[in-house]
Amino acid sequence: MSTTDETAAPAPGPETGREAIIRAARRAFTLKPYAEVTMRGIAAAAGVSPSLIVKRFGSKEALFNTVVDFRPAAAELFDAPLPGLGRHLVLTMLDLRDRLRGDPLLRVVFSLGIEDERTLLRARFRAEVTDRLAALLTGPDARLRAELVAGQLLGLGATLSLHRPDGATAHADAARLAELYAPGIQHLVDGA
């Protein structure tokens, strides 16, 4: 499992420029209020020209809306039958972290934007992740269980971020992490 930083050089491929821009924008919008983020700063961090950002996204607002969209990650995370969802969630989180070179969910916790931006980010996370999961769960306390599963996923992401590059989690393979972490998540999914 790779735990490279979001600022690492992008991997070669057809979406390299777009993915580098999104990674740089995620980092910028997480670390600074919206008003302080510039297209030039994102372009410099991504190693592209500001005109490429405008060509790909149109505006800073459109780029921000792309960055705060949790739906693509949620679609992958919840694409499994409920009986095996816990394991799927862990393995998919690890895969997304590797592919995106950063955690797809943690920005909701660490955003330093002004209150309106943080409120928007939290509202989107609730609607696109927690509410979507709650709608999939059966049995009592579906909303509560969905919130607790989301917390478990955020905790996994935080643990992996805190202990990289030399912690035990950085050196454990995905199957072992899923073996240890997924049963607790599955318990919440099942509502047992």
Side-chain angles (χ1 to χ4, degrees):
M1 178 180 86
S2 169
T3 56
T4 51
D5 190 294
E6 286 182 359
T7 59
E15 293 295 324
T16 299
R18 183 178 194 285
E19 294 307 315
I21 292 165
I22 290 173
R23 275 193 310 278
R26 275 190 189 119
R27 184 165 178 77
F29 289 123
T30 298
L31 298 175
K32 296 179 185 177
Y34 179 88
E36 293 178 18
V37 174
T38 66
M39 297 288 258
R40 286 183 194 269
I42 292 170
V48 301
S49 69
S51 63
L52 181 61
I53 296 176
V54 173
K55 180 180 177 185
R56 295 266 172 108
F57 296 94
S59 67
K60 181 172 122 175
E61 180 180 5
L63 180 56
F64 177 78
N65 284 325
T66 299
V67 166
V68 299
D69 187 357
F70 295 100
R71 289 175 300 182
E76 289 189 54
L77 286 166
F78 304 138
D79 187 25
L82 290 179
L85 188 59
R87 182 172 179 77
H88 175 80
L89 287 170
V90 173
L91 293 173
T92 302
M93 275 292 292
L94 298 172
D95 178 61
L96 286 169
R97 286 177 60 87
D98 283 347
R99 281 190 285 133
L100 300 175
R101 293 194 184 99
D103 193 284
L105 304 179
L106 272 181
R107 63 189 178 273
V108 75
V109 176
F110 295 114
S111 176
L112 298 177
I114 60 172
E115 186 59 33
D116 287 346
E117 295 157 20
R118 289 192 312 268
T119 300
L120 170 66
L121 201 58
R122 285 192 305 267
R124 287 207 180 163
F125 183 88
R126 276 192 302 274
E128 296 169 3
V129 177
T130 310
D131 292 349
R132 182 172 177 174
L133 178 58
L136 295 173
L137 298 180
T138 58
D141 301 318
R143 173 71 185 177
L144 173 61
R145 292 174 17 239
E147 288 179 6
L148 293 171
V149 168
Q152 291 288 325
L153 293 174
L154 291 170
L156 176 60
T159 298
L160 294 170
S161 295
L162 285 169
H163 296 287
R164 73 173 178 219
D166 56 358
T169 53
H171 299 293
D173 68 13
R176 181 64 176 147
L177 289 172
E179 179 184 330
L180 293 170
Y181 206 79
I185 293 177
Q186 189 64 48
H187 180 75
L188 291 168
V189 168
D190 294 339

